[in-house]
Amino acid sequence: MKDMVKGSSIIVVGVNRGGTSAVASSLNSVGIFLGDSWREPNYEDVYLAKCFRNRSWSKFRKQIKKYEASHDVFAWKLPDSINRLIKVDGMFSSPKYIFVFRDIYAIGDRINRARGASLLFSMFKASLQYLNAIFFIKYRKPDCLLVSYEKMLTNTDQYARQLLDFLEMEKTSENIESIVTSVCPSPSGYQEWADESKKSRERKAQQILGHLDYIEKEKIGGWLRSKKDENPVSVDIYINKVKVGNALADNYRQDLVDAAVSNSGCHGFVYTLDPPLKSGDTVSVVLAGTALDVKGSPRQIG
């Protein structure tokens, strides 16, 4: 990064399910710092995301200043930022932007499958958010790179070269290869994360808490409770997608009382398996009468 000003920030802007994670993955692949608390597969700095969503602007700015002071270049990605671009622009000392655009039908379809939201509404929302980004680009005239998600996938070599030019990095074969190999349309880790996020929202809607704690060849155990009251609830047990039984989660668990999860502590379950599990079997534990997995489910035995 020969010419870029020390303390520069790269802000990746796009909509939910719009390809921002792919761009952030590319930046990470060539050594761009993404923050102290970023995580795969979405490459978002957890602390900054929390500050942004809670509108804790002083904490947000303080962390940005820390990153800018300690790194030549820092990249930040959060799809929510597309709704507050003017605010974001004032938080960074030397911001540069990467705007990612994707087919709005594909965005709507992914949101529909992940969250059950209306396809047309999701497409309409994405269109408005893109319009907001376009107005920002037209009138604020930021230093920016525009990226087509579809073209990123079909011509990764060209995308890699354009990205390296924007970053003012040398277009070495190593850098190009790092970016090319980082581009994946549906990485398994991302899909698993998206699926678990959907389940988490469903569990919240159902007002249940719980976890599949362990699976052994002859038994499984965990806990489940309704946030509505202390009455015990039941779980259904599936082995390789075939229901094999159910259990009432009413066993006493001192750890649930100690953790202030429950006053009674009577929400544990243990289920004996007959016949025992075989290597490779997958166990699913769901809220009885639903398809909603307990956290930690499904799980495969080694």
Side-chain angles (χ1 to χ4, degrees):
M1 258 156 281
K2 9 179 229 237
D3 302 319
M4 197 172 282
V5 177
K6 178 176 173 59
S8 295
S9 299
I10 309 294
I11 304 166
V12 182
V13 179
V15 304
N16 279 307
R17 304 300 192 270
T20 54
S21 294
V23 172
S25 174
S26 297
L27 296 173
N28 178 63
S29 75
V30 290
I32 303 295
F33 177 70
L34 299 178
D36 289 335
S37 60
W38 71 272
R39 297 176 183 173
E40 291 186 76
N42 64 356
Y43 298 89
E44 292 172 7
D45 184 289
V46 175
Y47 179 76
L48 284 179
K50 182 179 179 180
C51 290
F52 185 90
R53 288 170 176 149
N54 291 338
R55 301 189 180 185
S56 303
W57 301 124
S58 60
K59 292 181 180 179
F60 183 84
R61 176 60 182 144
K62 182 178 179 181
Q63 189 72 355
I64 293 298
K65 288 178 71 175
K66 174 188 169 185
Y67 288 159
E68 290 176 336
S70 56
H71 295 84
D72 289 340
V73 180
F74 155 61
W76 179 62
K77 168 257 173 180
L78 187 70
D80 305 44
S81 67
I82 199 170
N83 301 312
R84 301 185 67 88
L85 288 172
I86 301 297
K87 184 73 176 180
V88 167
D89 197 51
M91 292 284 175
F92 295 82
S93 300
S94 301
K96 299 179 69 166
Y97 293 84
I98 301 176
F99 291 92
V100 193
F101 295 92
R102 185 182 187 184
D103 164 29
I104 62 168
Y105 175 81
I107 292 166
D109 182 57
R110 290 201 69 170
I111 293 175
N112 172 262
R113 286 187 284 122
R115 301 182 181 178
S118 160
L119 172 63
L120 291 179
F121 177 79
S122 298
M123 292 172 65
F124 178 70
K125 181 179 179 181
S127 298
L128 291 180
Q129 290 174 317
Y130 280 146
L131 186 61
N132 186 53
I134 291 167
F135 274 111
F136 178 81
I137 295 166
K138 178 175 174 59
Y139 294 108
R140 298 286 286 211
K141 296 180 170 53
D143 186 355
C144 66
L145 173 68
L146 307 187
V147 173
S148 161
Y149 178 75
E150 285 75 20
K151 289 184 178 179
M152 179 202 305
L153 299 182
T154 57
N155 196 338
T156 51
D157 186 81
Q158 181 183 23
Y159 158 71
R161 292 174 184 276
Q162 289 175 337
L163 183 59
L164 290 168
D165 278 339
F166 181 70
L167 297 173
E168 297 165 13
M169 295 181 68
E170 294 184 3
K171 293 191 286 291
T172 63
S173 58
E174 181 181 359
N175 282 340
I176 292 171
E177 181 64 19
S178 293
I179 293 173
V180 168
T181 55
S182 75
V183 176
C184 180
S186 295
S188 59
Y190 183 91
Q191 192 55 55
E192 289 167 6
W193 169 79
D195 290 343
E196 180 53 38
S197 295
K198 180 181 179 181
K199 290 177 185 177
S200 179
R201 287 190 294 272
E202 291 173 347
R203 287 191 287 265
K204 187 174 181 180
Q206 291 276 1
Q207 298 188 57
I208 63 166
L209 298 170
H211 194 270
L212 173 58
D213 291 339
Y214 64 88
I215 62 171
E216 299 173 358
K217 287 193 173 181
E218 296 185 351
K219 65 179 179 178
I220 62 174
W223 63 277
L224 186 68
R225 68 151 296 189
S226 168
K227 292 166 68 174
K228 299 174 186 177
D229 53 49
E230 289 277 359
N231 294 328
V233 294
S234 295
V235 294
D236 291 335
I237 317 295
Y238 289 80
I239 307 297
N240 301 324
K241 299 183 178 181
V242 176
K243 184 177 177 180
V244 296
N246 58 19
L248 183 64
D250 63 351
N251 293 349
Y252 179 72
R253 294 264 304 246
Q254 181 64 44
D255 59 326
L256 300 182
V257 177
D258 294 342
V261 170
S262 163
N263 292 324
S264 72
C266 297
H267 302 291
F269 66 85
V270 175
Y271 184 82
T272 302
L273 298 162
D274 186 19
L277 294 172
K278 304 183 298 297
S279 179
D281 282 345
T282 298
V283 176
S284 299
V285 178
V286 304
L287 176 66
T290 75
L292 180 56
D293 282 283
V294 173
K295 191 173 183 179
S297 166
R299 192 181 300 181
Q300 189 176 61
I301 192 166

